Amino acid sequence: MARTKGTEANLSSDKLLQIIEYMSARRLPVRLKDIADDLQISQPTVVRYLRTLCDQGYVYQDSQTGQYAMTWKICRLSSSLESNLVLRSMAGSGMMQNCRNCGSGGCPPS
C-alpha cells in the first residue's frame, strides 16, 4: 500500500513520541542501541530524532558515555499544560454556571 505524505508525517510523529515515551520511562541514561532495539527503529533514524531532541533541549547526550537522557524541559511543558488545563476547567465550569443562571440558550442543558 502506497503511503501518502500525510501518513509518512504521522509515522514520523509516532516514532518521535515512542522515543520520548521510552526515554521518559527510564530513570538512567540509555544507549542508542537499546532505544533502537527496544523500539525496533533503525539506529540512523533514532539518531536523527535524538539530534533534534538534543538541539531543542529535550534530551542531552552524556559526553563520556554517549548515552542519552531526558532533560527537565519536558517537565516544564507538563507543568504549563497542567496550569492551562486547571484554568480552562475552572473557567469552563464557571461559564456553564453563568449560562444556566442567565437561562442563555447558547449553553447545553445539564
Side-chain angles (χ1 to χ4, degrees):
M1 176 176 163
R3 285 189 262 169
T4 64
K5 190 171 182 94
T7 303
E8 290 174 11
N10 291 340
L11 290 175
S12 293
S13 299
D14 287 346
K15 288 177 185 176
L16 179 61
L17 290 171
Q18 286 175 8
I19 292 168
I20 290 171
E21 290 175 357
Y22 177 88
M23 294 184 69
S24 295
R26 303 302 179 275
R27 294 184 187 263
L28 299 172
V30 293
R31 299 180 311 158
L32 167 65
K33 180 181 182 345
D34 294 334
I35 299 168
D37 289 350
D38 290 348
L39 297 178
Q40 297 180 352
I41 302 172
S42 71
Q43 285 190 25
T45 298
V46 173
V47 166
R48 278 197 318 272
Y49 289 113
L50 289 173
R51 282 187 188 144
T52 298
L53 289 167
C54 285
D55 290 346
Q56 296 299 315
Y58 290 100
V59 168
Y60 76 92
Q61 183 178 22
D62 185 287
S63 60
Q64 292 182 339
T65 66
Q67 295 179 334
Y68 296 88
M70 299 296 294
T71 67
W72 288 103
K73 187 172 183 178
I74 200 87
C75 293
R76 287 194 301 272
L77 280 178
S78 174
S79 179
S80 295
L81 177 62
E82 182 179 30
S83 296
N84 290 338
L85 290 176
V86 168
L87 289 174
R88 189 177 311 147
S89 174
M90 289 171 40
S93 62
M95 289 172 50
M96 291 301 291
Q97 186 60 44
N98 286 340
C99 288
R100 283 187 206 103
N101 292 342
C102 296
S104 171
C107 295
S110 52

